[in-house]
């Protein structure tokens, strides 16, 4: 901008919305403005930057090279400005009223729900917690404030978000108690020959178990694929199939599902569990507490229990 003093924060907010959505209509909805008002803001931004920023390509708008180059700096500037009120300002967490929304896999919700809400109630009795299993656009939901935190395996690292590695967990096998695979020390070949229930992986990623068998020159038999680890374990508990899931999740529910936990007799890549959040919540006291509590809970090491093979 030629003269920063001439423009207010609303223009920066509008700039980010317009460059992210590439749509005046969608930006108007996000900004809670009319379409004509949003169009006028786009006109002011074009004049301020001396560039069209968005141009029509057929039935849609696309960013100009200048517009594309401005998006991330504009996001960073907006995050820095919106964080200013919380920097150095004391906040009594006991009076904080906020509904924290965390997106995480179902098995993690099973393990974390009780200890997390107990800790939250003792520190922030006026706050509440919602755990959701999936979101079609987690980055967009973090950006728009619909989500506070996303936890998942091998989350993509995006420059507009903050990330932290929570844990690296070995994969283990689980079978129903009394399954032939649970006797003795079965070989990798026997594991490969056992009908398997696999956990679906995002597009573009390779199943770690399939990859491990391929390195050994073995062909595995995936008879069923399911959305998550808990569903895979439930399927294994009621059948002769093998499921391969993160160790901590397996040991947390093995006894209740009457499953036996097995060490895999072949090398396989560990699952990297990470957490992502938007920079605007970087220094917010309630969010800082929640992230640290999640890290502490997830960092607890799994312990062998009934139905498990150490």
């Amino acid at each position: 901008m030629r003269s920063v003093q001439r423009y207010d924060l609303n223009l920066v907010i509008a700039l980010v919305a317009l460059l992210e959505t590439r749509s005046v209509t969608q930006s108007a909805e996000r900004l809670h403005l009319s379409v004509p008002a949003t169009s006028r803001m786009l006109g002011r931004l074009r004049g301020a930057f001396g560039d069209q920023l968005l141009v029509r390509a057929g039935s849609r708008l696309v960013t100009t090279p200048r517009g594309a180059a401005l998006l991330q700096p504009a996001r960073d500037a907006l995050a820095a400005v919106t964080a200013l009120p919380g920097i150095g300002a004391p906040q009594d967490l006991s009076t904080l009223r906020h509904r924290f929304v965390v997106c995480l896999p179902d098995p993690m919700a099973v393990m974390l729900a009780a200890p997390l809400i107990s800790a939250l109630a003792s520190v922030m009795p006026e706050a509440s917690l919602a755990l959701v299993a999936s979101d079609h656009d987690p980055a967009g939901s973090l950006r728009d404030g619909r989500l506070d935190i996303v936890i998942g395996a091998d989350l993509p690292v995006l420059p507009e978000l903050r990330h932290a590695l929570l844990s690296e967990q070995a994969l283990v096998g689980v079978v129903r108690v009394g399954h032939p695979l649970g006797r003795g020390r079965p070989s990798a070949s026997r594991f490969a020959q056992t009908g398997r229930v696999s956990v679906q992986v995002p597009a573009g990623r390779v199943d770690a178990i399939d990859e491990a068998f391929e390195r050994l020159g073995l062909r595995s038999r995936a008879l069923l694929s399911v959305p998550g680890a808990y569903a895979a374990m439930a399927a294994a508990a009621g059948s002769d199939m093998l499921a391969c899931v993160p160790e901590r999740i397996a040991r947390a529910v093995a006894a209740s599902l009457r499953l036996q936990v097995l060490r895999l007799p072949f090398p396989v890549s560990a699952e990297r569990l990470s957490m992502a959040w938007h920079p605007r919540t970087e220094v917010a006291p309630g969010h800082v507490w929640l992230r640290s509590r999640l890290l502490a809970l997830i960092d607890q090491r799994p312990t062998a229990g009934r139905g498990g093979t150490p």
Side-chain angles (χ1 to χ4, degrees), residues 78-80 82-84 86-87 91 98 100-101 141-150 160-162 275-291:
L78 183 59
T82 53
L84 283 176
I87 297 176
Q91 185 173 15
H98 183 76
F100 293 99
V101 184
S141 294
L142 286 171
R143 186 188 310 124
D144 295 343
R146 294 190 299 270
L147 292 176
D148 292 300
I149 293 173
V150 172
E160 65 185 278
L161 302 177
R162 300 288 187 263
M275 173 168 61
W277 64 94
H278 195 274
R280 71 170 170 275
T281 65
E282 181 81 7
V283 297
H287 290 78
V288 171
W289 178 90
L290 180 60
R291 292 195 300 268

Side-chain angles (χ1 to χ4, degrees), residues 3-78:
S3 178
V4 174
Q5 291 85 353
R6 294 171 53 199
Y7 305 101
D8 59 30
L9 180 59
N10 289 329
L11 274 182
V12 181
I13 297 172
L15 176 64
V16 172
L18 286 161
L19 294 179
E20 285 181 346
T21 64
R22 301 176 188 179
S23 166
V24 174
T25 301
Q26 291 180 32
S27 295
E29 292 174 356
R30 181 188 293 189
L31 299 169
H32 304 290
L33 295 173
S34 67
V35 171
T38 306
S39 183
R40 287 194 295 272
M41 294 189 87
L42 176 57
R44 291 178 62 191
L45 287 164
R46 284 169 168 167
F49 287 100
D51 187 89
Q52 288 297 296
L53 302 177
L54 293 168
V55 295
R56 189 158 296 282
S59 61
R60 61 193 181 94
L61 293 175
V62 297
T63 53
T64 64
R66 181 82 185 277
L70 283 169
L71 177 54
Q72 192 55 49
R75 284 170 172 162
D76 293 341
L78 183 59

Side-chain angles (χ1 to χ4, degrees), residues 208-273:
I209 301 299
D210 286 338
E211 188 176 49
F213 282 135
E214 187 175 338
R215 284 197 301 266
L216 295 172
L218 298 172
R219 185 176 179 181
S220 65
R221 301 170 57 208
L223 305 180
L224 172 68
S225 67
V226 294
Y230 192 84
M233 290 185 287
S239 70
D240 283 333
M241 290 186 292
L242 161 74
C244 296
V245 298
E247 182 175 9
R248 183 163 185 231
I249 293 172
R251 295 201 182 280
V253 301
S256 62
L257 291 180
R258 291 187 53 77
L259 289 168
Q260 184 174 355
V261 181
L262 309 172
R263 296 290 188 191
L264 298 178
F266 50 87
V268 60
S269 302
E271 180 182 270
R272 292 170 58 87
L273 191 70

